[in-house]
Amino acid sequence: MESVQPTAGAVVSQDLPEPTSYRGQYVMPLDVDPKAWLRYSGITYWLDPAADPNTATVCYVYLLSDSDLKPTCVIDDESGRRVETGVANDGDLQPRVIILKQDVSSGGTVSQRDTLPGTSLTFRINYQGSQEVNDVVVPIDFGRPVAEALGGRKLYFKLSEQPTAFTDLAARDRLRSPKKTPLIYLHGYEDPDTGQETIGTRLPPIALTRDRIAAAWNTGKATGVFDPAVFPNVPADLDAAGRAGLMAVVAGLDEATVVEQVHGGARLVINRAATGEYTYRFLPAPRHCSPGLVLVEYYRLTSFPARYGAGRTIKTFTLLPGERTSIRISSYLRSAESQQRTASILDATDSQTESEFARTVNSEQSNQDSSSKSFEYRAEAEAQGQANWGWGSASAKVSGGVSGGSNSAREEFVKNLTNAVSQNTARASSRREMQVDTSIDVKLETGEEQAVERMLENINVSRTLNFVFRQMNQEYFTVLHLVDVRVAFFNGHAESRDEVPLSGLDRLLADCLQPEAVDSVRSSVLEVVKAIPDYQGRVPDGFVKQAPPAPGQDPATDDLLAVDPNFTSTCTGPDGREHTVPGVIVGLDQHVLRTDGITVDSYLGDGNALDDYSTGLQEQAVRARQIDNDRAAAEVDRLRLATQLVQDGNTTGAALYQRLFPIPQIVNQIDHAAVGAVPNGQQPTGDGVPAN
């Protein structure tokens, strides 16, 4: 970091530029006892990867259950026609049998034809004796003919008790009558090779064929409408402008890259930044992780201009006695490209600086999994004006009121963000190069560069004139402050995200936790929130306050809190100024940036280049100039005296002045001979006219 050397005018009281401010969110997982979650009967399915060539004309569908519930299954083909199935013997399992091909005789030749049209089947799963339980519809598009995809293979559907995957399951369950039987839902597809689960709302790997991916990609690239089954992390339901933005950001992506990435298990993630611009990247597909609570903290990074002073020396040059030269000063802001390269979050708020800063922040993530979770959590169609600043590497244990884990994760976040700011600042500052060119009696062509050209001359005849050009530095005081805290349910997929303010915590917990666990988890979460310290390690009083009861809520509830939107904090900058920002200050730092300003100092050389004779000539010339100046000054004094005598009406003094300074006489003499002269020496006539 370059040092700032303040001058006498380094600290001013007005005319400072406005501070810059960036907004972002940091997500921190909370550790909840696995036994505390609501549990429902979830359906998991998978396709045995091994195909039996001896049974290539049929497919076996197994219905498994870990409980007393007896699953049932109805199958429809792509045209909506019910598929007739038989029953095979496999011990106690007795799988359903789907006939995929049948023999056809034609002209004495027997051949086989597919019995099921298209590339997809729809399975409707329920269980025997269910009441007020809707069928779980599992549409599976295999991306190729059904007979080809399922020939000789086994398809399994398993009904087992699973922790809740979505908070809306509880709401759906409450709407059913008391006569209801257990609710069931689609948990997801389980890859038999890797064990990785795909959430039920997304297309399973068995259906992600290269042709299916290519077709969906070409349609999306041409229209801006991407199939959510293939590209679940690409915004959908956009207006014309949004679709145009999507098409623009993926215009440079080729089909082969997308197909290879998606088919290999990655996913295309497109986010819209606060500036409205879209960006894309490929990330590993998330695993179907267990449900969890996360603390979502909303931050602002505000940068205040502080002291201003001279920095590094960029040019020195010397003019010899009597020498003259021209200089040209070129700024780093002379082109649009250089402006982008030198932009910093401290003094700019454009999309270029924001995207570069976000990239730097996410590069500070501890691992790829954390970065993937961050983007998955933020995968929605409309940007909320909040950048993604990471996923906590540590978790707060929500049991027994332990808040140390959250504070540790928060400290890690502050460190990562501070490092990102330092890197961003250093990158921008290092590219802010100023240039001073000199030439002797040569006029330089400036072309289209933004440059200033000046002429300098050393009027001294015996000593050199030295110039030192220094680039000016601006110090910035950065404040990282927490402005809001929210709580969310999240299981690793964007579809499960349910985020609420602290005042909505009761509803959220009731929709995902066992009733007997709600009170203890709520108390623990609120204790974590109330223990958020500031940058000095002190817990501020008033940032989290008692929330007023919601309509229909028991007023006796005294442990429901809310963030005070009017809470502010104050800190003092390095220049002695006080700055007030909303929320709780969790980090302070100072940074120095080069600017496009230049300061120049000049000084004379100490050596005298004249001998005694030349020095004497200079002294006499100076003495003569002094005598002339003294004579002119005496004349001015005489005129002032005369004016004063007239103004005072001092006749005696005026008479004395006239005797002392008499007015010289002016005599006009006329040459009479010249009056009578005639041209060319001719003799005049009697009337004075020259004779011919």
Side-chain angles (χ1 to χ4, degrees), residues 37-40 162-173 183 185-188 198-202 288-292 489-498 507-508 510-513:
W37 301 109
L38 287 174
R39 304 181 72 86
Y40 297 96
Q162 302 277 359
T164 182
F166 304 96
T167 54
D168 66 345
L169 290 175
R172 287 161 47 189
D173 197 21
L183 182 70
Y185 73 100
L186 180 59
H187 191 70
T198 302
I199 198 169
T201 55
R202 300 189 179 185
H288 190 67
C289 56
S290 59
F489 174 88
F490 185 62
N491 70 3
H493 292 78
E495 296 92 329
S496 69
R497 176 176 176 263
D498 186 2
R507 194 280 300 167
L508 179 69
D511 285 349
C512 64
L513 296 177

Side-chain angles (χ1 to χ4, degrees), residues 53 85 157 257 366 380 403 413 438 475 491 513 533 594 643 671:
T85 61
F157 290 91
T257 299
S366 59
E380 69 258 5
S403 60
F413 160 69
T438 60
E475 183 182 45
N491 70 3
L513 296 177
R594 298 174 185 173
T643 303
D671 189 352

Side-chain angles (χ1 to χ4, degrees), residues 464-478:
T464 60
L465 181 60
N466 304 290
F467 294 91
V468 178
F469 292 83
R470 301 177 68 186
Q471 187 171 2
M472 299 301 291
N473 289 343
Q474 176 70 65
E475 183 182 45
Y476 287 90
F477 180 55
T478 59

Side-chain angles (χ1 to χ4, degrees), residues 131-153:
Q131 296 186 30
E132 297 191 34
V133 177
N134 295 329
D135 292 341
V136 174
V137 180
V138 187
I140 305 179
D141 190 338
F142 301 99
R144 50 183 173 158
V146 173
E148 179 184 340
L150 296 181
R153 305 178 78 176

Side-chain angles (χ1 to χ4, degrees), residues 2-18:
E2 300 179 31
S3 61
V4 174
Q5 301 178 8
T7 62
V11 179
V12 295
S13 59
Q14 68 275 345
D15 297 335
L16 282 176
E18 292 293 328

